[in-house]
Amino acid sequence: MSDETPNSVTMQKDGEVAVIIVNNPPVNALSWHVREGLKTHFEAALADDGVKAIVLRCDGATFIAGADISEFGKPPRGPDFNAVLNMIEAAAKPVVAAIHGTALGGGLETALVCHYRVAVPSAKLGVPEVKLGLLPGAGGTQRLPRVVGVEAAATMTSLGDPVPAPKAKEMGLVDELAGEDSLAADAIAFARARIADGPRPTREREVFGDVAAIEQLKAKNAKRWRGFEAPYANLACVEAATRLPFDEGLAFERQEFMKLMMGSQSAAQRHIFFAERQAAKIDGLPKDIKLRDVKKVGIIGAGTMGGGIMMNFLQKGIPCTIVEMQQEALDRGLGVVRKNYDASAAKGRFKPEQVESMMGLITPSLELEALADCDLIIEAVYENMDVKKEIFGKLDKIAKPGAILASNTSYLDVNEIAASTSRPGDVLGMHFFSPANVMKLLEVVRGDKTADDVLATAMATGKKIGKVAVVAGVCHGFIGNRMLAPRQIEAQKLLLEGATPAQVDKVHVDFGMPMGPFQMSDLAGVDIGWHRDPNRIESIRDALCAEGRWGQKKQAGFYDYDDKRNPSESPRVAEIIEEFRQKAGVEKREISDQEIVERTLYPMVNEGALILEEGKAQRASDIDVVWIYGYGWPVYRGGPMFWAGLEGTDKIAAALEKHGFEVAPLLKEKAAAKAGF
Ligand code: 3HC
């Protein structure tokens, strides 16, 4: 070991048992110095005749949580991971992994070369590499089928979900459950008892189970895995384990791992892993800023958004007061919440008594005064500035000092809303995405006067209720909807020029989006934001709305729908488009799929560049997080700003210019340097 090596692995002895301890906070990732430390100490323990068995355990919050992802793509340093693992597996003395917290990825692969595994009941074991666009590249796909069988190995690797220790014990992945507070001692005792048995190298065990399980998994998850490479590569490796000798299987796994590692999908997924964690950080704010207490939440509006927002808090045991203007609307709103919870209970997500206790946390009211004791009040009424200002003016008089006043507006000026109170420092936007109890994104909109602790509390509250919160500045539509606008405008123009809604949507779905612009419009409601004057027809959308084609809810929008909401192309919509085309004097032409990409996706990058220039997003990766978690941008493309780097900012800028767009200065700058964001 060199002098500069951090002391991240140490060894102690308990009689004839050597205990090798990893300590590399925060998650004991297998950084180069950990690999070096493991090599050094295992070599020492193996050479020591007084040592008859070895325990590997970790200090801190967790067992090894995987390879050090921040080392990926950098020049290799320290010993090769597979070589270290092979040495441990070949040890002539029994080796026991003592697991607490999470044994993930390379962490579980390390545990798999140990001859035995002991874990506390709260531990979780898994191979989540697939979520990073990868596969377990240190023997995981070859050793797991030898320990848990083909079906479980295929499931664990392709879905990436960790298994709780008690289940892992049933599966044979864990040999013994230790006491929650006595892992170190229990593991030593277990190791001592194995001295007589000797080592049990996993590679020498037989693969078992039915290979048909692999095809069944593929069929079951076809929709979920659309566009993804990694789940299939994981399954190919597990399948290889069923027919190749161990070392050949390992070579196959290595080859597949390298393919994924060099590809753009994994780069994108790793980008999002860090982007998601980065988004929680607020530039310029001390990390330890004192947060305000949020023990009781008020919601104004029991519509779809209000009810959905409230469900997030109830699920975390936080009592909510919900206010509506009419009893009927209140009853209807609470009825929907109950129905949603009952449906989840029927699927086994909640126990019936949990539903009752969550419903019991609600205080319904028809009076804003009922919000006087709430720490956080979220207004979720319809988008009308005057209505919002009136509500905030009243809240100013009702809410207790220090209460946070948030608007769920998706477009409106949060500064103007804040100005209707005498405490603009307490006001900000908390923009949830529909369905608010499901979608993970929360845009936290920071007004000019929003106090730092109010912002930090809103971000922390978002995390607490399971959201990925992103800070946005005040501008029309904030980050997500602002970038959506140019896409929708251009999509409509393309219809006039000759594309069909189905063609535009198909390009987006093939790109990996869950749906295209017109499918989204039909789902959300074509009439959202419509001026509601059937005689004022200035766009194709106005014409659709005037005819009552408001989308799926009316079984007619940009598409026709049958009773089961199956869409079909609409001859009437084609007529409306044709009428408009003639009125506008536009000649119909063939539109290529590439042109649709250039005119609907590239302008989003351009808008994103403007958002960055104006400081409305803290960083490009925050914009990516917004699009991944709020709009279903395919994670394997890393979000619009990351994708711009893959696509080529120079190519994007040139195409935008060709189509007559004004290119954002920041995009021009990146294009000139051929750089990403
Ligand atoms: N490498 C490098 N850094 C990591 C890391 C890893 N494997 N896992 C977590 N971190 C970092 C995070 O970026 C974060 O850093 P920050 O504080 O600077 O933002 C910090 O550790 C704490 O992470 P979380 O905020 O996620 O902490 P939680 O307590 O919420 O979660 C966890 C802990 C469950 C371990 C979670 O971090 C996690 O899921 N990590 C990734 C696990 C994983 O994917 N492992 C497989 C890696 S690939 C691999 O092993 C390849 C091999 O097969 C060859």
Side-chain angles (χ1 to χ4, degrees):
M1 242 185 278
S2 61
D3 292 345
E4 52 164 335
T5 308
N7 204 18
S8 48
V9 186
T10 50
M11 183 161 71
Q12 296 169 358
K13 273 210 235 159
D14 188 301
E16 30 184 28
V17 180
V19 183
I20 296 176
I21 304 160
V22 177
N23 185 10
N24 183 30
V27 298
N28 288 319
L30 289 155
S31 313
W32 64 270
H33 46 89
V34 173
R35 300 195 301 276
E36 201 159 83
L38 286 175
K39 180 170 182 290
T40 305
H41 290 297
F42 267 97
E43 277 171 358
L46 292 173
D48 184 339
D49 287 341
V51 171
K52 304 284 182 227
I54 303 167
V55 168
L56 173 65
R57 71 165 178 84
C58 292
D59 273 344
T62 178
F63 191 75
I64 301 164
D68 184 340
I69 309 168
S70 65
E71 283 183 357
F72 290 179
K74 297 192 183 139
R77 189 174 180 191
D80 173 66
F81 184 36
N82 270 302
V84 175
L85 294 190
N86 288 339
M87 177 191 69
I88 298 175
E89 189 173 45
K93 307 168 183 184
V95 183
V96 178
I99 300 169
H100 74 294
T102 46
L104 297 179
L108 182 56
E109 289 175 299
T110 306
L112 281 167
V113 295
C114 295
H115 306 137
Y116 304 93
R117 286 156 294 280
V118 172
V120 295
S122 61
K124 292 198 170 109
L125 298 85
V127 271
E129 282 88 340
V130 70
K131 296 184 183 176
L132 299 168
L134 292 172
L135 52 84
T141 65
Q142 304 305 298
R143 290 192 178 91
L144 268 177
R146 290 172 159 81
V147 176
V148 297
V150 174
E151 185 176 353
T155 306
M156 285 178 75
T157 55
S158 64
L159 293 175
D161 298 327
V163 177
K167 178 151 182 240
K169 167 107 188 341
E170 281 168 30
M171 291 161 72
L173 184 55
V174 162
D175 297 288
E176 191 168 280
L177 291 175
E180 204 64 67
D181 300 317
S182 55
L183 175 66
D186 291 356
I188 291 170
F190 182 89
R192 199 163 273 134
R194 294 285 90 69
I195 293 174
D197 303 337
R200 182 186 60 171
T202 304
R203 66 168 66 213
E204 287 172 14
R205 294 166 69 173
E206 291 291 323
V207 172
F208 62 94
D210 187 357
V211 75
I214 293 178
E215 289 311 312
Q216 285 158 11
L217 264 169
K218 283 187 198 165
K220 198 169 157 205
N221 292 288
K223 201 168 156 206
R224 175 174 178 172
W225 292 342
R226 188 173 65 93
F228 284 90
E229 291 164 359
Y232 297 99
N234 272 280
L235 292 177
C237 289
V238 174
E239 190 275 332
T242 65
R243 58 183 167 79
L244 296 179
F246 184 81
D247 282 326
E248 283 178 39
L250 213 54
F252 181 76
E253 178 194 88
R254 181 104 297 251
Q255 172 198 312
E256 292 298 299
F257 179 80
M258 289 317 290
K259 265 198 247 164
L260 291 176
M261 184 63 113
M262 306 309 282
S264 65
Q265 292 206 349
S266 173
Q269 289 178 253
R270 282 180 275 133
H271 161 74
I272 288 300
F273 176 85
F274 287 116
E276 183 183 327
R277 283 154 180 83
Q278 184 74 8
K281 295 173 185 135
I282 311 167
D283 288 344
L285 244 65
K287 248 186 160 177
D288 54 355
I289 188 165
K290 191 171 176 326
L291 303 180
R292 297 191 187 180
D293 271 345
V294 177
K295 294 211 171 89
K296 186 157 194 198
V297 172
I299 309 277
I300 307 174
T304 315
M305 281 315 280
I309 293 169
M310 180 170 69
M311 289 173 75
N312 292 297
F313 292 98
L314 300 177
Q315 275 153 236
K316 293 289 164 192
I318 301 173
C320 293
T321 301
I322 187 159
V323 176
E324 251 299 347
M325 277 160 61
Q326 307 286 342
Q327 187 65 46
E328 200 196 345
L330 192 56
D331 293 345
R332 198 181 326 122
L334 294 185
V336 172
V337 171
R338 173 170 283 283
K339 215 173 105 196
N340 285 340
Y341 277 146
D342 285 344
S344 299
K347 286 186 202 141
R349 256 198 77 207
F350 298 118
K351 296 196 184 89
E353 55 273 24
Q354 274 177 303
V355 172
E356 291 319 310
S357 84
M358 290 190 291
M359 291 304 292
L361 292 171
I362 306 174
T363 308
S365 176
L366 297 174
E367 308 292 340
L368 283 177
E369 283 71 18
L371 301 169
D373 63 345
C374 292
D375 305 304
L376 164 66
I377 301 172
I378 303 172
E379 163 276 312
V381 305
Y382 60 97
E383 291 287 70
N384 178 306
M385 182 55 95
D386 291 337
V387 174
K388 296 200 189 254
K389 277 159 82 171
E390 195 190 324
I391 290 177
F392 275 76
K394 286 184 184 162
L395 279 182
D396 192 21
K397 298 190 180 65
I398 294 167
K400 67 181 184 186
I404 297 175
L405 311 181
S407 172
N408 176 49
T409 179
S410 36
Y411 287 97
L412 298 177
D413 184 341
V414 171
N415 291 328
E416 200 180 331
I417 297 174
S420 61
T421 73
S422 64
R423 40 173 138 174
D426 294 341
V427 179
L428 84 179
M430 286 178 82
H431 178 212
F432 291 80
F433 287 69
S434 189
N437 57 319
V438 176
M439 296 297 287
K440 283 197 79 176
L441 179 65
L442 173 68
E443 279 181 333
V444 175
V445 187
R446 177 186 209 166
D448 291 346
K449 297 195 173 146
T450 304
D452 287 350
D453 64 336
V454 168
L455 179 67
T457 305
M459 292 292 286
T461 304
K463 184 166 185 193
K464 186 166 183 188
I465 59 174
K467 302 293 176 200
V468 179
V470 173
V471 179
V474 176
C475 57
H476 191 71
F478 316 124
I479 298 174
N481 283 344
R482 175 169 164 180
M483 286 168 71
L484 190 63
R487 183 186 94 166
Q488 299 301 99
I489 291 168
E490 213 53 33
Q492 300 251 354
K493 282 194 196 156
L494 282 161
L495 295 190
L496 272 191
E497 292 170 42
T500 62
Q503 186 194 1
V504 175
D505 284 342
K506 183 171 183 306
V507 169
H508 283 252
V509 171
D510 287 350
F511 182 79
M513 301 292 293
M515 62 188 101
F518 299 109
Q519 290 162 324
M520 183 172 159
S521 205
D522 275 3
L523 180 69
V526 185
D527 61 315
I528 287 187
W530 178 47
H531 49 58
R532 305 215 166 246
D533 177 357
N535 298 312
R536 202 176 117 202
I537 297 180
E538 290 156 0
S539 67
I540 295 173
R541 190 188 80 147
D542 288 350
L544 259 59
C545 287
E547 284 189 17
R549 301 189 68 96
W550 294 3
Q552 286 197 18
K553 58 189 168 190
K554 298 272 184 180
Q555 279 184 244
F558 283 96
Y559 297 87
D560 291 335
Y561 294 89
D562 67 15
D563 291 345
K564 295 199 174 101
R565 296 204 171 187
N566 293 313
S568 57
E569 290 196 55
S570 166
R572 178 63 197 135
V573 171
E575 276 170 25
I576 292 174
I577 294 171
E578 189 53 44
E579 279 164 29
F580 258 84
R581 189 176 290 136
Q582 285 178 11
K583 235 196 300 179
V586 175
E587 204 168 317
K588 188 174 177 179
R589 64 184 172 87
E590 201 61 36
I591 307 272
S592 72
D593 288 357
Q594 179 59 24
E595 181 172 345
I596 294 173
V597 169
E598 290 174 6
R599 288 179 54 190
T600 55
L601 294 174
Y602 289 5
M604 292 173 60
V605 173
N606 203 35
E607 198 64 42
L610 288 173
I611 288 173
L612 281 174
E613 267 169 45
E614 294 167 21
K616 303 299 181 191
Q618 297 192 93
R619 44 189 95 88
S621 62
D622 281 10
I623 298 179
D624 291 332
V625 168
V626 164
W627 271 84
I628 299 276
Y629 289 111
Y631 301 84
W633 182 281
V635 59
Y636 58 79
R637 292 192 200 268
M641 307 315 280
F642 183 84
W643 173 70
L646 294 178
E647 186 80 349
T649 47
D650 50 340
K651 181 176 157 195
I652 293 177
L656 285 170
E657 238 162 57
K658 181 183 81 188
H659 292 301
F661 289 90
E662 197 176 323
V663 180
L666 181 62
L667 177 54
K668 277 191 188 154
E669 205 181 283
K670 297 287 181 193
K674 290 190 189 300
F677 284 92

